[in-house]
Amino acid sequence: MESLFDSDREQELFGDIKASLTNCLSEANLHLTVPGLKSKIRGKVRDIYDAGEYLVLVTTDRQSAFDRILASIPFKGQVLNETSLWWFDKTRHITSNAVVSSPDKNVTIAKKCSVFPIEFVGMVKSEKLLANIITPTTKADDHDVPITPDEVEHFLFNYCPFAFC
């Protein structure tokens, strides 16, 4: 830790950080160079391309909060994509998933599946929970929309085939 505060090391570190700032992947344009991609959907963090029976998901370095893109953070997309792949690998013995391959650190190729359009959010970092809390939301065109537990139950029992892929 002491070497971090050495002025030569500090200058080297700041130089590396400054050089990395130009390495942000703010947007992918694969549809311009890869034949066979039918369309592009630009999400808050991912650019998604239709490749027939598969989707090509490019996880960018875009940082979003409250349904707004705030900035780009170098290597954020890579970390997010590789973390997702790690969890998909660690849980594949529990349930199947859509992952086919990952030809790049920011890219996942996945089978097209039925979407389970509910996500659960609501914790504050390091917050101690007195009990489990669930704050379900679903995706609208450009933002997340809160939904009630009854709406989740209705979706699960009326639309969810329990075999997503």
Side-chain angles (χ1 to χ4, degrees):
M1 188 69 165
E2 187 105 1
S3 66
L4 185 61
F5 299 104
D6 176 83
S7 80
D8 289 338
R9 175 67 179 128
E10 184 178 333
Q11 291 305 313
E12 177 186 355
L13 186 60
F14 287 151
D16 290 345
I17 291 169
K18 189 173 182 178
S20 293
L21 292 178
T22 61
N23 290 331
C24 286
L25 177 60
S26 297
E27 183 156 1
N29 288 302
L30 294 181
H31 61 294
L32 301 176
T33 58
V34 178
L37 296 181
K38 298 177 183 170
S39 64
K40 174 184 175 181
I41 297 170
R42 187 177 192 266
K44 288 184 284 185
V45 175
R46 288 182 178 85
D47 290 342
I48 303 168
Y49 298 90
D50 185 337
E53 65 182 278
Y54 300 105
L55 295 175
V56 178
L57 299 98
V58 180
T59 309
T60 69
D61 295 330
R62 295 189 296 258
Q63 175 67 42
S64 70
F66 306 107
D67 299 318
R68 302 282 185 268
I69 296 169
L70 304 175
S72 291
I73 300 171
F75 308 109
K76 176 192 171 280
Q78 176 183 334
V79 171
L80 179 58
N81 192 57
E82 290 184 331
T83 300
S84 297
L85 291 169
W86 187 87
W87 279 109
F88 280 124
D89 182 58
K90 295 298 180 193
T91 59
R92 69 180 172 191
H93 70 284
I94 299 169
T95 186
S96 63
N97 63 58
V99 175
V100 174
S101 67
S102 179
D104 182 84
K105 293 178 184 219
N106 287 72
V107 178
T108 296
I109 297 177
K111 296 180 280 185
K112 286 185 177 176
C113 299
S114 300
V115 174
F116 184 74
I118 299 170
E119 66 180 42
F120 298 93
V121 295
M123 289 189 64
V124 175
K125 184 177 179 181
S126 303
E127 174 183 10
K128 182 177 180 178
L129 296 177
L130 299 175
N132 290 337
I133 58 170
I134 297 178
T135 56
T137 63
T138 190
K139 298 284 184 195
D141 288 336
D142 62 349
H143 63 283
D144 296 336
V145 178
I147 59 175
T148 67
D150 287 339
E151 290 172 307
V152 173
E153 183 178 325
H154 176 77
F155 175 81
L156 285 172
F157 291 108
N158 292 298
Y159 301 103
C160 182
F162 295 100
F164 296 103
C165 299

